[in-house]
Amino acid sequence: MLVKILITAAFISFILAYLHGRESGETGFEAYVEPFVIVLILILNAIVGVWQETNAEKALEALKDLQGESAKVVRDGYVIPDLPAKELVPGDIVELRVGDKVPADMRVAALKTSTLRVEQSSFTGESMPVLKCTLPVFLDDCELQAKENMLFAGTTIVNGACLSIVVDTGMKTQIGKIQTQIHEASLDESETPLKKKLDEFGSRLTTFIGIACFLVWVINYKYFLSWDVVNGWPTNFRFSFEKCTYYFKIAVALAVAAIPEGLSAVITTCLALGTRKMAQKNAIVRKLPSVETLGCTTVICSDKTGTLTTNQMAVTEFFTLGGKSTTSRVFKVDGTTYDPKDGGIVDWNCYNMDASLQAVAEISAVCNDAGIFCNGRAYQATGLPTEAALKVLVEKMSVPDAKVRNKIRDMQFAANYMIDRTSVKLVCCDWWAKRSKRLATLEFDRFCKSMSVIVQEPTGQNRLLVKGAVESLLERTSHVQLADGSMVPIDESCKQLLLLRQFEMSSKGLRCLGLAYKDDLGEISDYSNASHPAHKKLLDPACYPEIESNLVFVGVVGIRDSPREEVPQAMGDCKQAGIRVIVITGDNKSTAEAISQEIQLFADSEELKGRSFTGKEFMALSSSEQIEILTRPGGKVFSRAEPKHKQEIVRMLKESGEIVAMTGDGVNDAPALKLADIGIAMGISGTEVAKEAADMVLADDNFSSIVSAVAEGRSIYNNMKAFIRYMISSNVGEVMSIFLTAALGIPECMIPVQLLWVNLVTDGPPATALGFNPADVDIMHKPPRKSNDPLINSWVLFRYLVIGSYVGLATVGIFVLWYTQPSFLGINLISDGHTLIQMSQLQNWGECSSWSNFTASPFTVSGGHIISFTNPCDYFSVGKVKAMTLSLSVLVAIEMFNSLNALSEDNSLITMPPWRNPWLLIAMSFSFGLHCLIMYVPILANVFGIVPLTSAEWLLVIIVSAPVILLDEILKLVGRSRRKISKVKVKAM
């Protein structure tokens, strides 16, 4: 709206300059300075706008990159080894192997290996690769996670091989549906709270400007329109087009004065500064308005995996039996990442390791296909995350060999991790691998729910090492191993103890793996290689239950994707700041609830009924029940959530008036990220689709970075209010000065080009510097502001009017003083020799030609230049140059002092001294220097119609300008008193 007014002002100014040039014969650049400056402002604002909006929508292109390019297809009995994925049709048979990207949605027809695992976390949010099978799914409306016989386009085969039948292609696939949802979400994008406020502010300012301009023009009607009254009726109308356009130009000048031309550029600069601060806190903002929107966030919808948790599996607890089969030893483990140096076993004093602990280490290290590598920034796993966690545990346990252990200790343990940016040498795991030579692998079987390896012990005897589901292993266990290495038959009490410990670990959200071994291997006790007679038996999964029977149970390890250490504190900050947190994850319900309680989303004793739902459960509720649940205070957790569930939750929250920040990393999160007020993608684990759909990217995937960003957003909003308050109060002062000039009928004390200079250049640096104001210490102790809260409330508007009135009185007052008074507060005003006149003469200066015996003496200005007149009436045009310079200087000085008032909306300069923001002091000096530049450089002084001032005149300027600080301090004191009274009333109620 402000830009529209400027365009109108530029057009009118150009026409008036053209008409004035034709009448006066002036056709040079000076005649068109004003419209050219306005056009320049418009061009600069347009450049800023285009630069800000150049982030093209690339989410759909990124989605295309996810889809497989080609596939090995069997069609009409012929094998096509490299068929482009876009040519697939339903019914095609596709062969997939490890590393292949699934090119379409397809059903598993036959497994070519015993197991098939698919990485589909980007679609379903599951933290682990998912087992697939050929069994049919009979439910019509089941979750994506439950479709165990389906492979989805864009996912990756991480283990095994299969033949699959294409079911859906193109936009009918799950990834195609997400493309449609992203497009629909982009259509639903609403304006940011900042844009709404600025548009609302612009509309109100437009009304104010229009009324004020009209009044100024009408007040001066007598100068361009007159008539005689005969018999009570007006006759003989006289109209002066020249005077009419002159006063119309004054009205245009009023519009120019009222519009904060530099506001758009200053806001963009402030937002850009905010993005820099956020980037230092690992929050990278892709769209500038999002910086401010964060400040009024009321709900954060957070993904679990990778945001609230580390997205790295880690053993946090394990147990073995003690000296008897009815006692157990529980060991706690610190560390939440794949970094072997991250934490250790709590109170670990078992460096010599008894037989049970040695068995735990051996099984964890050798019955394992995972690896760990470092990409230069973080440790990551190859293979299954759970197996990588077991290897890290082994490194924390050390080895039983004293010489090797001492060698590791001498090398300070950490030095053994020889990082070459691709692999990490795991010393302890390597020691176990060399000690127990691996001979064969029995792959994971979905029926046995375990995997095992045959190893050759240092004694030359073969041993079977097994890991798998605890309940499944216990069914095939005959003995348990005690701490001293002895084996005792398992009985019911021992089994119940083991199940109880396992249940306790599971209730904490741990994924439990049982560990066992077997020494009596029968016909494979002497197995050595594939030529052994029993080798075929090892290839047949039907034989696995027999081989993996009569096991010796060793212990249980508890693994999980641990919460980030800083998240509970961030949750507390959110509660204190009045921000609700809703966890939306594709993971299972029990894990989501356990993590939510651990990060203190819920209190330990809090009942989760009505606060925890699966996506399917929530969508089955009525619309009114859904709204009631979402608007209810406190945290919520939604598990097994699909893309459509996330999108609906975000949409309902927005319709309820909430400002929603949504986090996510997967393809399935993209539609909700696009729909949310603030979409926040994960920088490390996030897919390119999520990043392109988001407004902000977290460089560290950390929830606490979101909370820091919210605090920064609130601070930026406060700073924006500060410079808007500063610029508008200054502009109101300019309007008041022009209005007073018109109302009193005196010559204009400032011309439009001067007002443009002040608004765009002189005001700009202090306004920008206010963006560096330090954040209030209690910024996260206040509830989020409402998105419909006005930028300017009634009290702030009153303050604008009071300060603006003083600015107007000061700028017009010094103009009048110079013409009418010989001195002011002891300062001689007529030392330059100018002629004093009466106030009545100044008000009727247009009738100067009819005054008898009026003369105007030439006067000198600083530097010895003499201002003289051929026509005495030029004293009110050419001769006003000194008075106009004083008015402009007072305006600049007042606005510099007024910028100090804007350091804080409520706090006094005593509690918020100017040196808290040194950039403001530098900006004030710079702006004042610019003013002196145009004043003391002759060429610039001629363009702006001003002259140099003497030291006495500068003293007068400072004396007239400084009281604006005292005036605003009084208003701040009144404001603080009003708030204290209102707080007391609220408490009394």
Side-chain angles (χ1 to χ4, degrees):
M1 186 59 71
L2 300 182
V3 172
K4 290 176 183 177
I5 300 173
L6 271 180
I7 291 172
T8 305
F11 180 72
I12 295 172
S13 296
F14 186 85
I15 292 175
L16 294 178
Y18 175 74
L19 293 173
H20 179 72
R22 287 189 63 182
E23 291 176 5
S24 62
E26 295 179 11
T27 56
F29 174 73
E30 290 185 15
Y32 295 95
V33 167
E34 180 188 327
F36 273 125
V37 171
I38 298 176
V39 170
L40 179 62
I41 295 166
L42 290 168
I43 292 172
L44 288 174
N45 282 346
I47 291 171
V48 168
V50 170
W51 171 73
Q52 183 178 329
E53 297 298 330
T54 49
N55 283 322
E57 291 295 334
K58 298 178 182 177
L60 299 182
E61 292 301 319
L63 273 172
K64 293 175 184 176
D65 293 339
L66 276 180
Q67 299 174 22
E69 295 179 356
S70 61
K72 183 178 180 181
V73 179
V74 179
R75 182 184 286 178
D76 296 331
Y78 296 96
V79 176
I80 305 173
D82 203 18
L83 182 73
K86 63 182 180 181
E87 295 183 17
L88 287 173
V89 295
D92 278 339
I93 299 173
V94 179
E95 182 179 339
L96 295 169
R97 294 187 176 275
V98 174
D100 287 348
K101 197 172 283 186
V102 180
D105 283 7
M106 49 187 72
R107 180 171 56 81
V108 180
L111 296 180
K112 303 190 78 174
T113 55
S114 60
T115 56
L116 178 70
R117 293 180 191 267
V118 179
E119 172 58 60
Q120 60 180 40
S121 62
S122 61
F123 277 88
T124 61
E126 292 161 298
S127 55
M128 297 289 297
V130 179
L131 275 170
K132 295 295 182 177
C133 65
T134 57
L135 299 176
V137 176
F138 295 103
L139 292 174
D140 292 332
D141 184 27
C142 67
E143 303 159 336
L144 287 179
Q145 295 92 331
K147 296 181 179 180
E148 296 181 347
N149 63 351
M150 286 295 296
L151 305 177
F152 302 112
T155 59
T156 306
I157 308 296
V158 295
N159 175 255
C162 70
L163 289 175
S164 300
I165 301 172
V166 175
V167 175
D168 287 312
T169 60
M171 297 304 287
K172 293 183 179 180
T173 62
Q174 290 300 320
I175 198 171
K177 292 175 182 176
I178 289 174
Q179 284 179 302
T180 303
Q181 290 167 355
I182 291 176
H183 177 68
E184 290 173 352
S186 66
L187 297 177
D188 288 344
E189 280 187 323
S190 56
E191 294 179 332
T192 65
L194 177 62
K195 189 175 187 305
K196 290 177 182 176
K197 289 186 181 70
L198 289 176
D199 283 345
E200 179 185 341
F201 168 69
S203 298
R204 292 182 178 179
L205 189 60
T206 302
T207 304
F208 170 75
I209 291 170
I211 294 172
C213 291
F214 181 73
L215 287 176
V216 166
W217 193 49
V218 169
I219 285 172
N220 291 285
Y221 77 92
K222 60 184 178 181
Y223 295 111
F224 56 84
L225 181 65
S226 60
W227 58 83
D228 297 327
V229 178
V230 178
N231 298 326
W233 291 93
T235 58
N236 301 324
F237 286 93
R238 293 177 293 280
F239 177 74
S240 171
F241 181 76
E242 182 182 358
K243 289 289 181 69
C244 178
T245 55
Y246 175 80
Y247 285 103
F248 189 73
K249 192 171 182 180
I250 290 178
V252 173
L254 178 67
V256 171
I259 300 171
E261 288 88 356
L263 186 60
S264 174
V266 171
I267 286 177
T268 303
T269 304
C270 184
L271 293 174
L273 290 172
T275 63
R276 240 180 115 187
K277 290 181 185 177
M278 288 185 176
Q280 293 169 354
K281 298 178 181 179
N282 295 310
I284 301 165
V285 177
R286 298 182 67 247
K287 299 176 183 177
L288 286 184
S290 307
V291 178
E292 182 274 337
T293 309
L294 270 170
C296 52
T297 298
T298 58
V299 178
I300 298 176
C301 294
S302 176
D303 190 21
K304 177 185 71 68
T305 305
T307 310
L308 302 175
T309 64
T310 61
N311 198 24
Q312 296 193 1
M313 303 298 285
V315 176
T316 59
E317 191 176 307
F318 69 96
F319 75 85
T320 63
L321 292 175
K324 296 186 295 184
S325 62
T326 54
T327 61
S328 63
R329 301 174 300 171
V330 179
F331 299 89
K332 305 288 184 182
V333 186
D334 285 338
T336 59
T337 67
Y338 294 131
D339 182 358
K341 303 183 292 295
D342 178 18
I345 303 173
V346 179
D347 300 327
W348 181 250
N349 54 10
C350 306
Y351 293 106
N352 292 323
M353 292 204 295
D354 56 44
S356 289
L357 294 175
Q358 288 186 41
V360 168
E362 181 183 17
I363 297 167
S364 298
V366 184
C367 187
N368 197 317
D369 294 318
I372 296 173
F373 70 97
C374 182
N375 63 6
R377 287 189 308 167
Y379 288 82
Q380 295 182 344
T382 57
L384 295 178
T386 50
E387 293 190 342
L390 291 176
K391 284 206 168 181
V392 173
L393 171 66
V394 175
E395 294 302 306
K396 293 174 181 178
M397 294 177 72
S398 193
V399 296
D401 188 295
K403 291 182 180 179
V404 176
R405 188 169 62 251
N406 290 335
K407 184 179 179 182
I408 292 173
R409 201 174 298 163
D410 292 341
M411 296 174 71
Q412 296 182 332
F413 193 63
N416 286 276
Y417 304 114
M418 300 160 58
I419 302 172
D420 60 4
R421 297 180 67 85
T422 56
S423 63
V424 178
K425 186 172 178 59
L426 303 176
V427 178
C428 301
C429 289
D430 287 350
W431 185 87
W432 281 107
K434 291 175 182 177
R435 176 187 176 277
S436 305
K437 183 182 176 183
R438 187 163 163 174
L439 302 176
T441 301
L442 281 67
E443 290 185 4
F444 181 88
D445 182 73
R446 65 183 301 106
F447 299 105
C448 293
K449 296 182 181 179
S450 61
M451 67 111 22
S452 57
V453 295
I454 300 172
V455 299
Q456 186 179 58
E457 295 290 293
T459 60
Q461 180 184 354
N462 284 358
R463 171 179 281 187
L464 183 72
L465 306 179
V466 188
K467 73 175 189 296
V470 176
E471 300 91 334
S472 178
L473 291 190
L474 286 177
E475 290 175 0
R476 291 172 279 149
T477 292
S478 60
H479 293 75
V480 293
Q481 179 170 293
L482 304 182
D484 59 4
S486 60
M487 292 181 288
V488 298
I490 188 170
D491 56 19
E492 189 60 28
S493 60
C494 178
K495 184 178 288 188
Q496 291 304 316
L497 172 67
L498 295 174
L499 290 173
L500 176 62
R501 290 283 178 267
Q502 186 249 347
F503 175 76
E504 290 172 351
M505 293 169 73
S506 298
S507 63
K508 299 174 187 176
L510 301 183
R511 178 186 174 90
C512 295
L513 279 179
L515 306 178
Y517 69 89
K518 180 180 180 181
D519 284 329
D520 184 10
L521 299 183
E523 61 181 303
I524 57 174
S525 59
D526 60 345
Y527 179 88
S528 57
N529 53 50
S531 61
H532 191 276
H535 181 68
K536 290 184 179 180
K537 192 173 184 179
L538 299 180
L539 299 178
D540 185 4
C543 299
Y544 291 177
E546 179 190 346
I547 298 172
E548 295 177 352
S549 61
N550 296 318
L551 301 175
V552 178
F553 196 87
V554 174
V556 177
V557 293
I559 307 172
R560 67 168 175 172
D561 181 10
S562 302
R564 295 177 181 270
E565 293 179 359
E566 57 277 8
V567 169
Q569 176 63 43
M571 285 289 173
D573 292 342
C574 284
K575 291 177 182 177
Q576 203 168 38
I579 300 170
R580 293 192 296 127
V581 178
I582 296 176
V583 176
I584 309 177
T585 178
D587 225 331
N588 66 66
K589 192 172 185 177
S590 59
T591 301
E593 289 177 349
I595 293 293
S596 297
Q597 286 184 313
E598 190 164 349
I599 62 175
Q600 297 175 19
L601 176 65
F602 305 119
D604 293 337
S605 58
E606 189 171 351
E607 174 61 45
L608 297 187
K609 185 177 181 181
R611 296 187 178 276
S612 175
F613 302 88
T614 65
K616 195 173 179 180
E617 289 171 350
F618 182 73
M619 289 302 159
L621 300 174
S622 66
S623 178
S624 59
E625 289 176 314
Q626 291 174 345
I627 296 295
E628 194 274 328
I629 289 167
L630 289 175
T631 54
R632 192 185 303 158
K636 310 283 184 302
V637 59
F638 296 94
S639 50
R640 290 296 185 188
E642 296 182 23
K644 58 183 179 182
H645 300 155
K646 296 182 180 183
Q647 208 171 348
E648 281 304 309
I649 290 170
V650 170
R651 180 175 282 112
M652 282 186 277
L653 286 168
K654 287 183 68 176
E655 289 173 354
S656 301
E658 305 283 1
I659 302 298
V660 184
M662 169 75 192
T663 74
D665 56 358
V667 178
N668 61 329
D669 297 322
L673 290 174
K674 194 71 180 171
L675 183 63
D677 295 291
I678 295 288
I680 305 171
M682 303 298 107
I684 297 174
S685 62
T687 61
E688 287 305 311
V689 181
K691 292 176 189 176
E692 292 298 337
D695 303 292
M696 191 172 86
V697 179
L698 295 184
D700 60 353
D701 290 11
N702 198 331
F703 180 83
S704 64
S705 296
I706 303 172
V707 181
S708 298
V710 169
E712 191 63 44
R714 291 187 175 190
S715 175
I716 288 168
Y717 183 75
N718 287 346
N719 291 346
M720 279 198 296
K721 280 186 70 176
F723 66 69
I724 290 172
R725 186 168 61 248
Y726 159 65
M727 295 185 83
I728 299 302
S729 61
S730 299
N731 284 33
V732 168
E734 295 167 21
V735 170
M736 292 297 291
S737 65
I738 294 175
F739 193 82
L740 282 172
T741 300
L744 294 172
I746 63 177
E748 56 183 335
C749 58
M750 279 176 288
I751 57 178
V753 72
Q754 293 172 349
L755 294 172
L756 281 169
W757 173 262
V758 171
N759 285 354
L760 187 64
V761 181
T762 314
D763 285 355
T768 304
L770 289 170
F772 289 94
N773 280 352
D776 295 337
V777 291
D778 61 345
I779 198 159
M780 289 298 280
H781 296 175
K782 302 172 182 176
R785 69 182 187 279
K786 295 179 180 177
S787 59
N788 57 358
D789 282 352
L791 273 173
I792 304 169
N793 57 33
S794 56
W795 170 246
V796 173
L797 178 61
F798 175 75
R799 280 174 57 182
Y800 285 170
L801 293 176
V802 172
I803 296 297
S805 298
Y806 180 78
V807 174
L809 288 171
T811 51
V812 174
I814 200 168
F815 186 91
V816 172
L817 281 175
W818 188 82
Y819 269 106
T820 62
Q821 300 298 319
S823 64
F824 181 74
L825 297 178
I827 299 173
N828 187 357
L829 300 180
I830 56 173
S831 58
D832 57 6
H834 72 273
T835 302
L836 293 179
I837 60 173
Q838 299 296 318
M839 182 64 184
S840 58
Q841 290 178 297
L842 187 62
Q843 287 181 288
N844 296 285
W845 65 278
E847 301 172 7
C848 170
S849 57
S850 63
W851 297 346
S852 59
N853 301 322
F854 175 71
T855 59
S857 304
F859 61 90
T860 60
V861 295
S862 180
H865 181 62
I866 299 175
I867 306 295
S868 58
F869 325 99
T870 54
N871 181 351
C873 292
D874 289 343
Y875 186 47
F876 299 104
S877 54
V878 177
K880 71 176 181 178
V881 64
K882 172 67 77 68
M884 197 159 56
T885 303
L886 287 169
S887 289
L888 180 62
S889 299
V890 165
L891 179 63
V892 170
I894 283 183
E895 295 190 2
M896 295 304 103
F897 288 127
N898 195 28
S899 67
L900 297 176
N901 292 331
L903 273 168
S904 175
E905 185 172 351
D906 303 307
N907 294 321
S908 167
L909 283 174
I910 298 172
T911 57
M912 179 72 86
W915 50 86
R916 287 284 302 278
N917 186 352
W919 291 105
L920 179 59
L921 299 177
I922 294 171
M924 289 170 61
S925 303
F926 180 71
S927 290
F928 218 79
L930 288 174
H931 178 63
C932 292
L933 180 71
I934 66 168
M935 185 182 294
Y936 292 101
V937 175
I939 296 175
L940 296 176
N942 288 335
V943 170
F944 288 95
I946 55 178
V947 293
L949 297 179
T950 64
S951 56
E953 289 163 344
W954 271 116
L955 178 60
L956 175 65
V957 168
I958 299 301
I959 289 175
V960 172
S961 305
V964 74
I965 292 179
L966 178 61
L967 181 60
D968 202 52
E969 286 291 301
I970 295 171
L971 292 170
K972 286 179 180 179
L973 178 63
V974 173
R976 291 194 296 270
S977 301
R978 288 174 69 244
R979 262 192 314 280
K980 285 181 182 178
I981 293 171
S982 63
K983 284 182 180 178
V984 170
K985 288 182 178 178
V986 170
K987 288 181 179 179
M989 290 172 66

